[in-house]
Amino acid sequence: MKFTIITVNRNNKEAFRQTLESVFSQTCADYESVVIDGASTDGSAEVMRQYESQIAYGVSEPDKGVYDAMNKAIAHATGDYIPVSYTHLTLPTTERV
């Protein structure tokens, strides 16, 4: 069973960094990360680039809002389950994805 963890963001750089760190600290091995940033102007795209080797699909581009961003991410998801993480949420660091 594979998970696709979706993270959507817009202009929330520090919370975005914390959310990505919580995703990438998971001990569960069978997951992928899909990240959609809504063309942030606060440095969020640079944060995403710092983690690009761990992101299966990531893009920073204009969208029509949070639901549009989620739909873009779902289109790139290959997991059996698709939890969505907003930038103010963090995941536990144990194997609970």
Side-chain angles (χ1 to χ4, degrees):
M1 168 175 38
K2 179 178 177 181
F3 291 88
T4 298
I5 303 173
I6 291 174
T7 304
V8 297
N9 177 66
R10 178 130 173 37
N11 287 328
N12 200 354
K13 178 182 172 182
E14 289 312 312
F16 186 44
R17 180 186 314 278
Q18 292 171 357
T19 299
L20 292 178
E21 288 173 358
S22 78
V23 169
F24 301 133
S25 69
Q26 295 301 301
T27 57
C28 171
D30 202 11
Y31 77 90
E32 68 180 356
S33 175
V34 174
V35 180
I36 307 294
D37 175 68
S40 293
T41 58
D42 68 343
S44 292
E46 288 77 18
V47 170
M48 185 171 60
R49 280 193 283 282
Q50 292 172 355
Y51 295 97
E52 68 186 354
S53 66
Q54 296 169 280
I55 296 171
Y57 177 81
V59 67
S60 180
E61 64 186 16
D63 55 50
K64 298 173 187 166
V66 67
Y67 297 111
D68 183 40
M70 284 190 261
N71 285 326
K72 285 181 181 183
I74 289 167
H76 293 278
T78 63
D80 302 304
Y81 294 93
I82 307 173
V84 176
S85 173
Y86 300 93
T87 55
H88 62 280
L89 300 176
T90 57
L91 300 172
T93 56
T94 59
E95 197 168 317
R96 294 185 187 165
V97 176

